[in-house]
Every structure is written in C-alpha cells, then in structure tokens.
Amino acid sequence: MKPEASGPARRIGTHLPGRPSEERSEVDAMPRRKLGQLEAEVLAVLAGADDFLSPGDIAERLEGGTAYTTVNTILFRLLEKNLVERARKGRAYVYRLTADESGLAAERMFGHLRLAHDPSGVLTHFVHGLSPEEEAALRALLDEHRSDA
C-alpha cells in the first residue's frame, strides 16, 4: 500500500514526482481560465439576471465549480472598477451589473485591438473565428454603418 500524499502539494493539486496520475487531486483535471475570463463570466451571469444576485447564486450559475470565495474576490474587483453595485440583503451582500454588457465587451475588444502590433492580423483572426450567424450579423452591421456614413 502506497502512503497517501499530504501537505500543500496535495491540497493544491500539484503532481508529486513518482506518484501515478490517479493520485492527483481533482484540481489538476480542471482547465484554468484565461486572465480576465472569470470576470467576463461573472459579468455575463449578472447581465442575464433580472435582479441582484448573491455570490453563491453566481457561483452556482458558473461552469467549472467556481468556489464562492473566488466569486466574492471577483465581485470585489468588479465593484472597485464600478462595473457592479452591491446592496445589503440581511447579513450578506448581493450584486448587480451597473454597466452595459455589450459596451463592456466592445471596450475589451477595442483595447486588445489598440494594443496589437498588427491590428489587421487581429481582425483577420477574429473574423475567421466567427460562426456563420455571427459573420452575417457583423456584415449587416457594417453595411448599415456604411449606409449611415
């Protein structure tokens, strides 16, 4: 019988040298989100809500089993950025979106485009990644914009 892995390495899911992969924790199996992705996912949950949500409500609606404490941290960061507001409900806080979700997404896209060395290349990759429905919507918007100008 092999000794059970213990200590910090086991708790955070680090693979211990010489240990078979089946002894790794479940944390190893979960894919990591890209930087800022969790904030975007929390904002999307709030955008789809009709009212204030608690961190627990938000955690339940996120994929990947996000911890309550992680959601709470993200909400605090979003509060500091004035993207959400909070109110007391009993002894806890509840949150709702204060900004327009589509405007936020557009600002992130503009930010990435402005920082790129090759904006045309970024747009090319973006367009190639669109679904047929998204491409049709973009074409319609560009045609509408062109006729307004």
Side-chain angles (χ1 to χ4, degrees):
M1 185 168 162
K2 293 183 183 179
E4 182 64 28
S6 64
R10 178 68 176 159
R11 282 194 294 272
I12 62 171
T14 303
H15 178 67
L16 299 173
R19 300 274 187 221
S21 61
E22 64 268 12
E23 288 193 23
R24 292 182 291 161
S25 76
E26 291 178 21
V27 174
D28 289 330
M30 284 193 271
R32 304 249 333 148
R33 289 179 170 96
K34 293 179 185 174
L35 189 61
Q37 182 180 348
L38 185 54
E39 280 189 0
E41 290 175 21
V42 169
L43 288 170
V45 167
L46 289 169
D50 295 331
D51 201 5
F52 285 87
L53 293 176
S54 71
D57 294 333
I58 296 167
E60 287 175 7
R61 296 177 189 197
L62 292 171
E63 292 182 18
T66 307
Y68 172 90
T69 54
T70 302
V71 172
N72 224 14
T73 300
I74 294 299
L75 288 167
F76 186 75
R77 290 179 186 162
L78 294 173
L79 186 65
E80 288 180 327
K81 295 176 183 180
N82 295 316
L83 298 175
V84 299
E85 66 178 325
R86 73 179 179 185
R88 276 245 189 235
K89 184 174 183 183
R91 293 179 29 205
Y93 284 109
V94 289
Y95 298 82
R96 86 171 157 197
L97 190 64
T98 58
D100 173 47
E101 181 189 25
S102 57
L104 290 172
E107 277 302 314
R108 284 194 302 270
M109 291 166 64
F110 285 135
H112 291 296
L113 192 59
R114 289 180 189 125
L115 292 175
H117 176 70
D118 179 16
S120 181
V122 172
L123 289 170
T124 299
H125 283 284
F126 177 76
V127 169
H128 286 292
L130 295 174
S131 70
E133 296 81 18
E134 292 165 336
E135 184 179 343
L138 180 58
R139 282 188 192 283
L141 287 169
L142 289 171
D143 290 343
E144 181 182 315
H145 178 70
R146 205 173 286 133
S147 67
D148 289 344

